[in-house]
Amino acid sequence: DNVIEIQGLKKSYDGGKIKALNGIDLEIKKGEFVSIMGPSGSGKSTLLNMIGALDVADEGTIEVAGIDLRSTAKLNEFRSQEIGFVFQMHNLIPNLTVRENVEIPMYETDLSTNQMRERALKFLKAVGLEDKADQIPTKLSGGQRQRVAIARALVNRPSIILADEPTGSLDSKTGDVILKLLSDLHEKENVTLVMVTHEPYVGNMAERIVNVLDGKIQN
Ligand code: ADP
Ligand code: ADP
C-alpha cells in the first residue's frame, strides 16, 4: 500500500555538472512517518521537491498518490489536493492575516468564503492559535508562525505532508513543540509525513530513517 514509489530517480543541475540525485529508489507506505537524513548538499531537498512536484526529474519514475508525476498535466491540482508543504522558512505572506494565510490553499477548491473561513479557524484551533486568527504573521513568534504554516499545510486534508527542516529556524524548545505537533497530527489524521532534516535527534522521531549521501540512499 505505497503512497510514494520512486525508481532510478536522477537529477542534475548546471548542465550535468552537479549530480543532486544519482539513482534514488524509495517506497513509502500510506500513513508512514519517514525522515530523510544526510549532510548538507546530499540531495534531501531535491528529493523532497520531486515528491511534491516542485521540480522535475531527468530520469526515473516517480508515482505519488497513484499519480505518475512525469506524465500528468495536472500538477497544480495534484499539489493542492495531495500535498501539504512545511518549509524551514514558513513562507507566510506578511500582509495577510493568519487566517487568510491558512485560507490560501483552499482558493483551488470550490468552498465558499464562509466555508474557507470556518475551516481555517478549525485548523488554527488544532495548532492552538485560534486567538491569533486576525493578527498579521510578523506579530507572531517563530514557533507560532511555523504552527500557522502547519495549519495551512493541513487545511486541504492532503494525504502527504512534506516538511523540509521544519525546525531549522527555531530554538530547540520551540522545535520540539513543532515536532510534537507534526507527529501528533500524523497519528491522529493518519497522514503520510516525510520530513527532511540533518539533525539526528529530529530524524529519530520518525518510524523510519532514509539516509541520503551524494544523491544516493545508503540503507
Ligand atoms: P540538501 O537538501 O541535502 O542540502 P540539496 O538537494 O539542496 O541538498 O542539493 C543537492 C545538490 O544540488 C547540492 O550540491 C546543491 O548545491 C545542488 N542544487 C540544488 N538545487 C539546485 C539548483 N536549483 N541549481 C543548482 N544546483 C542545485
Ligand atoms: P537545504 O540545505 O535545506 O537544502 P539550501 O540552502 O541548500 O537548503 O537550498 C535551498 C533551496 O535552494 C533548495 O530548494 C535548492 O533547490 C536551492 N539551491 C540549493 N543549492 C543551489 C544552487 N547551488 N543553486 C541554485 N539553487 C540552489
Side-chain angles (χ1 to χ4, degrees):
D1 205 6
N2 293 327
V3 70
I4 297 168
E5 286 193 16
I6 295 172
Q7 269 160 8
L9 208 65
K10 292 189 180 181
K11 176 71 178 181
S12 58
Y13 293 108
D14 287 358
K17 269 184 278 176
I18 299 170
K19 292 194 170 16
L21 299 182
N22 224 331
I24 296 276
D25 299 312
L26 179 63
E27 294 184 347
I28 294 177
K29 288 192 179 65
K30 203 166 185 298
E32 223 183 339
F33 176 7
V34 173
S35 287
I36 298 175
M37 299 198 62
S40 184
S42 56
K44 304 181 299 295
S45 294
T46 302
L47 176 57
L48 201 74
N49 291 346
M50 301 275 164
I51 296 171
L54 294 175
D55 203 348
V56 182
D58 301 327
E59 275 179 55
T61 60
I62 176 161
E63 204 177 289
V64 180
I67 295 163
D68 179 352
L69 297 190
R70 299 214 59 202
S71 65
T72 183
K74 297 180 176 172
L75 288 180
N76 279 327
E77 204 178 302
F78 161 78
R79 258 184 243 115
S80 66
Q81 288 178 3
E82 303 289 349
I83 307 284
F85 292 100
V86 180
F87 296 102
Q88 174 172 357
M89 297 308 297
H90 48 79
N91 294 341
L92 301 178
I93 297 177
N95 55 346
L96 297 180
T97 66
V98 162
R99 175 178 55 77
E100 288 164 344
N101 267 281
V102 176
E103 287 174 358
I104 292 169
M106 293 187 278
Y107 294 161
E108 300 267 340
T109 68
D110 46 20
L111 293 173
S112 71
T113 311
N114 270 338
Q115 287 171 318
M116 285 197 257
R117 172 188 287 257
E118 263 170 42
R119 210 190 297 180
L121 291 175
K122 184 182 147 193
F123 279 86
L124 281 170
K125 194 174 175 190
V127 299
L129 285 180
E130 209 187 12
D131 59 331
K132 303 287 184 197
D134 297 322
Q135 296 265 19
I136 56 165
T138 46
K139 298 269 183 193
L140 272 52
S141 70
Q144 289 173 332
R145 287 181 213 174
Q146 196 58 304
R147 283 194 269 160
V148 177
I150 291 170
R152 183 183 55 186
L154 288 165
V155 81
N156 276 351
R157 296 198 163 281
S159 53
I160 303 165
I161 300 278
L162 302 178
D164 195 346
E165 304 274 8
T167 62
S169 62
L170 306 172
D171 63 79
S172 65
K173 216 173 122 194
T174 312
D176 286 347
V177 174
I178 295 301
L179 279 176
K180 175 99 173 50
L181 181 62
L182 277 173
S183 64
D184 282 355
L185 289 167
H186 153 73
E187 270 180 29
K188 251 195 289 181
E189 310 276 332
N190 195 35
V191 68
T192 307
L193 176 56
V194 184
M195 179 173 73
V196 161
T197 183
H198 64 271
E199 295 179 79
Y201 94 96
V202 174
N204 284 331
M205 301 267 307
E207 295 158 351
R208 175 158 67 108
I209 296 175
V210 170
N211 288 297
V212 179
L213 186 65
D214 299 333
K216 290 200 121 177
I217 288 174
Q218 299 297 298
N219 43 338

